[in-house]
Amino acid sequence: MKITIIAPGSRGDVQPYVALGKGLRNAGHTVGILASQDFQTLILEHGLQFLDLGGNMQDIAQGLQSLLEQGNFLKILSSMGKTAQRLADQVAAKGLAACQGSDLIIAGLGGLFVGLALSEKLGIPFIQAYYFPFTPTREFPNALVPMPPGGLPAWANRLTHSLAQQMMWQNYRAADTQARRQVLQMAPAPFRGPIAALQQEKQTVLYGYSPQVIPIPKDWGDFIHVTGYWFLGPPAGWEPPVELVNFLQSGPPPVYIGFGSMVNSKAAETTDLVLKALARTAQRGVLSAGWGGLKKEALPETVFMIDSLPFSWLFPQMAAVVHHGGAGTTSIGLWGGIPAIITPFMGDQPFWAQRVYELGVSPRPIPLRRLTVDNLADAIQQAVSDTTMQTKAARLGERIRAENGTARAVEVIEQVIARSN
């Protein structure tokens, strides 16, 4: 088959689909990924076709800097909806060209609405593929809806999913309508959007996370498949930097600290805070600059600064990992079998932070606005000294590594296509 995967967003949004695409390619299919220019190298170095969505996601994230730091997801979503409307024609045109001749379109939340429009326009089957739960259930709240302490009753949990779905749709509805009318020459989608109809039709849904982390809800149908994580290893021929290897071999396992694509106007202050927490706990550190721009001037010999490299290689060599709680970073930390310390910024990050804490493999989450030297140092100390937490993390990692989420997802995709032919 010729398969097109639509994957706008940051690296954490794109990387699971690169892993899924690589699995499909290894099964004999031709796979292209429609993504922003930031990720051309990532996609090409794993043997997939890069389909240029245009634009630069890091520039868009920098434009949202103040909102990201506030952590107000509704304001962030509103701003992203306006950005989507500005780029709607470009995205639809690029998507239309990319999907011509495809046998299947795959997309998650970031590409859901344009993917559905293109599927309808071109008559191509569509499969939803997410890396966090988005289907209504009574068993837990939606990952995008902020929760009060103590949680919600089961009936209210289910409502949060409908709320999140409408929240996403209504913010992107203007962009979707513009793309349908001006580029695709189609009628607008219904006012309430397409998501509920997909669920009523029981169309296949893939979830690329582990049932060891979130058990499969009893009220989900058999058309919903929780496959396990879609992990991406290093590209062929990749070698770690010699200086980093020497640093890792020169002492005990360090603590990784990085906040991925979360931008930060106070990068120097955050770096200083992190260094003080490491010094107070007498821990070595590996700092990742990321889009937040952690500064690397005048670092002590016990701290090493890195740019982008495969976490699947790095994390198993760490004593603990401190990060923002993005789905991708969280999954690799759990796979690596080491304790995490999560400082959530926005979106689904608080959901993952709370879940990892409930699993007993992380100290209590520290929201960004509450991050101090004292509470970060306390959390690091707990993560590197609590043997019960370390044992739970190691055992959870073993169970996750025994899964092959990518292979299972490929199997489901091929079954769906076989039934439709």
Side-chain angles (χ1 to χ4, degrees):
M1 292 184 293
K2 179 183 177 183
I3 300 171
T4 300
I5 302 176
I6 304 175
S10 67
R11 177 160 185 146
D13 300 310
V14 175
Q15 184 161 310
Y17 298 108
V18 176
L20 179 58
K22 193 171 181 179
L24 288 163
R25 188 208 65 184
N26 291 343
H29 307 292
T30 301
V31 182
I33 297 186
L34 184 65
S36 65
Q37 294 164 358
D38 315 60
F39 307 108
Q40 180 174 356
T41 299
L42 173 68
I43 292 166
L44 292 176
E45 69 187 2
H46 285 280
L48 306 175
Q49 182 184 5
F50 171 69
L51 305 170
D52 188 0
L53 186 60
N56 183 294
M57 193 61 205
Q58 185 169 355
D59 290 344
I60 293 173
Q62 294 290 346
L64 294 171
Q65 180 172 287
S66 62
L67 293 177
L68 289 171
E69 290 175 354
Q70 293 171 27
N72 187 318
F73 186 61
L74 291 178
K75 290 183 178 178
I76 294 167
L77 197 59
S78 176
S79 179
M80 290 174 66
K82 293 173 184 175
T83 300
Q85 190 170 0
R86 177 170 54 83
L87 299 174
D89 291 358
Q90 170 186 305
V91 171
K94 296 273 190 177
L96 185 60
C99 292
Q100 294 284 352
S102 296
D103 299 296
L104 176 67
I105 300 171
I106 298 174
L109 191 56
L112 179 63
F113 303 129
V114 68
L116 286 168
L118 291 166
S119 170
E120 182 182 341
K121 173 72 175 179
L122 298 172
I124 298 171
F126 179 85
I127 290 180
Q128 304 166 75
Y130 306 98
Y131 47 82
F132 62 85
F134 200 61
T135 303
T137 176
R138 295 169 58 88
E139 296 189 17
F140 50 79
N142 189 273
L144 300 177
V145 178
M147 284 297 102
L152 295 170
W155 65 267
N157 279 340
R158 191 171 183 87
L159 284 179
T160 66
H161 296 277
S162 298
L163 173 63
Q165 290 172 357
Q166 280 302 304
M167 189 169 65
M168 293 297 299
W169 166 245
Q170 296 303 334
N171 271 283
Y172 285 90
R173 182 165 62 89
D176 186 74
T177 298
Q178 178 180 319
R180 283 171 174 261
R181 282 178 169 164
Q182 297 186 11
V183 178
L184 303 178
Q185 281 79 54
M186 298 169 62
F191 177 80
R192 291 180 58 82
I195 301 176
L198 288 176
Q199 291 161 358
Q200 290 171 359
E201 295 166 7
K202 297 185 177 181
Q203 293 197 18
T204 300
V205 182
L206 299 176
Y207 282 117
Y209 60 79
S210 172
Q212 302 293 332
V213 177
I214 306 176
I216 301 171
K218 296 180 177 63
D219 54 356
W220 279 5
D222 59 7
F223 62 97
I224 300 170
H225 304 269
V226 180
T227 64
Y229 288 113
W230 307 327
F231 284 124
L232 185 68
W238 181 83
E239 295 288 341
V242 173
E243 296 83 357
L244 175 57
V245 173
N246 292 339
F247 174 79
L248 295 176
Q249 294 175 347
S250 68
V255 174
Y256 166 88
I257 302 177
F259 303 111
S261 58
M262 296 296 101
V263 292
N264 185 357
S265 64
K266 300 179 180 178
E269 287 181 31
T270 303
T271 306
D272 186 56
L273 183 157
V274 163
L275 293 175
K276 288 178 179 177
L278 288 171
R280 187 172 296 183
T281 54
Q283 295 296 313
R284 304 199 315 147
V286 171
L287 270 58
S288 175
W291 289 1
L294 293 182
K295 304 296 183 183
K296 62 179 179 180
E297 290 83 359
L299 289 178
E301 293 183 357
T302 54
V303 177
F304 192 94
M305 178 68 74
I306 63 172
D307 291 315
S308 177
L309 54 75
F311 287 164
S312 58
W313 174 85
L314 181 68
F315 280 10
Q317 304 179 72
M318 299 294 103
V321 290
V322 181
H323 59 82
H324 59 299
T329 310
T330 299
S331 68
I332 301 172
L334 295 174
W335 173 87
I338 49 175
I341 299 155
I342 301 183
T343 297
F345 285 57
M346 54 157 278
D348 59 330
Q349 296 164 11
F351 174 87
W352 292 116
Q354 183 63 26
R355 185 64 194 133
V356 172
Y357 171 65
E358 291 169 353
L359 288 167
V361 298
S362 169
R364 189 177 296 276
I366 310 171
L368 176 65
R369 62 185 179 279
R370 297 178 187 167
L371 185 65
T372 66
V373 174
D374 289 342
N375 58 25
L376 180 57
D378 289 346
I380 290 174
Q381 189 61 45
Q382 182 182 358
V384 301
S385 62
D386 186 330
T387 55
T388 299
M389 181 180 293
Q390 292 168 344
T391 299
K392 286 182 177 180
R395 290 176 177 171
L396 178 59
E398 288 175 2
R399 296 196 299 273
I400 291 173
R401 290 192 297 274
E403 300 170 344
N404 190 335
T406 303
R408 175 58 186 148
V410 170
E411 181 183 1
V412 172
I413 290 168
E414 292 183 331
Q415 289 171 352
V416 169
I417 295 301
R419 288 198 301 267
S420 67
N421 289 339

